[in-house]
Amino acid sequence: MVLSKLETGARVGDQAFEAVHAAIVSGEYAAGRRLQIRDLAAELGISVMPVREAIKRLEEAGLVETKPYRGAVVKDFTPEELLHVYEVRRLLEVGAAERGAFRVTADDVERLAQLDRAVREALERRSVIDYLDRDEEILSVVYAATGNPVLVDSIRSLWGRCRHFKIVGVREELDRGEPSSLLAYHERFLEAVTSGDARAAAGVVTDSLDAATDRIRRALPEAAVPEAPRAR
């Protein structure tokens, strides 16, 4: 991905952050890629200062890390770190799904139907990023119905941290010729939400996150696998 020149102005720092952030979460900037400030500034057509500030914000968001002799790089999460991310996602999203599904409006349901079509079209085009964006937008509609923007922002931040893992997972399913597997949780979730079954919606999110956690655990050496949380 080649970054586009920015319109200089008061928000140039925010624009730099958004441009580099988009390149990371889209997978265009792969994990481990060096983020050379002068090169990024030249691509964006701005000075190095707002780029430096953008990199610092991305580091605070957990998407970038500074390594000796390499400088800033796109963070490559280890399986152990991903397990921590998914543990927190489970804590936040199961409750958000149940509360949100209980409060969705008729307009929300109509929007979910539109996004459902967009998800299927993205899979037909084998567009991994569009699929993930629309899938996350579906969850966002339901989670936003909780009326708690801090909760939604926290969840979206966690999605950014595990985006590279999600991209790899979707590509593997498409390469195996099994796009229908990517719709299994999606269909169950929409059915639960649109029928007003909040508990079932929470159960689908639980199952989905547990399945992702299991995939991460399989990538760990046996001795390093921590105990899974016990249901209460």
Side-chain angles (χ1 to χ4, degrees):
M1 175 180 181
V2 177
L3 299 178
S4 301
K5 300 288 185 185
L6 298 180
E7 295 291 334
T8 57
R11 291 189 62 253
V12 66
D14 289 341
Q15 292 179 64
F17 171 82
E18 290 163 5
V20 181
H21 181 275
I24 292 173
V25 298
S26 70
E28 294 289 342
Y29 282 6
R33 176 183 175 130
R34 292 182 67 187
L35 300 174
Q36 297 177 300
I37 291 175
R38 292 189 182 279
D39 290 346
L40 293 174
E43 285 190 59
L44 294 168
I46 58 177
S47 68
V48 298
M49 186 59 70
V51 176
R52 199 182 306 276
E53 292 172 358
I55 296 300
K56 183 178 179 181
R57 288 173 61 186
L58 289 163
E59 195 166 5
E60 291 170 351
L63 296 177
V64 169
E65 61 182 343
T66 300
K67 291 195 170 185
Y69 311 112
R70 296 195 68 201
V73 300
V74 178
K75 185 170 175 58
D76 185 10
F77 286 87
T78 65
E80 291 91 341
E81 289 170 322
L82 280 171
L83 282 178
H84 295 155
V85 170
Y86 272 83
E87 182 179 1
V88 179
R89 282 191 61 188
R90 195 179 191 278
L91 289 171
L92 296 180
E93 291 189 51
V94 173
E98 185 165 9
R99 289 180 61 197
F102 185 71
R103 300 178 181 183
V104 291
T105 66
D107 287 344
D108 291 332
V109 172
E110 183 178 347
R111 178 59 180 154
L112 291 173
Q114 295 170 350
L115 290 168
D116 177 36
R117 291 191 292 271
V119 162
R120 295 172 187 278
E121 290 169 1
L123 285 179
E124 289 177 3
R125 300 193 314 271
R126 296 178 61 86
S127 176
V128 174
I129 302 306
D130 281 352
Y131 163 78
L132 287 172
D133 285 347
R134 301 293 81 76
D135 183 63
E136 289 176 357
E137 198 171 346
I138 285 172
L139 294 173
S140 294
V141 168
V142 178
Y143 297 169
T146 65
N148 188 332
V150 175
L151 174 62
V152 178
D153 287 346
S154 298
I155 291 171
R156 294 190 70 86
S157 175
L158 292 169
W159 288 345
R161 293 191 179 205
C162 58
R163 183 46 100 87
H164 286 116
F165 171 71
K166 294 168 73 174
I167 289 171
V168 170
V170 173
R171 283 178 177 159
E172 287 178 349
E173 293 300 312
L174 290 176
D175 289 344
R176 281 198 289 264
E178 299 177 359
S180 60
S181 65
L182 297 168
L183 293 173
Y185 295 114
H186 164 86
E187 291 173 343
R188 287 175 54 203
F189 183 70
L190 286 179
E191 181 180 356
V193 172
T194 55
S195 65
D197 192 338
R199 182 169 295 183
V204 175
V205 171
T206 300
D207 291 346
S208 175
L209 293 174
D210 284 352
T213 299
D214 287 343
R215 291 197 300 274
I216 298 168
R217 288 176 181 277
R218 288 196 291 271
L220 286 167
E222 187 173 345
V225 177
E227 289 188 14
R230 296 180 180 177
R232 294 188 177 182

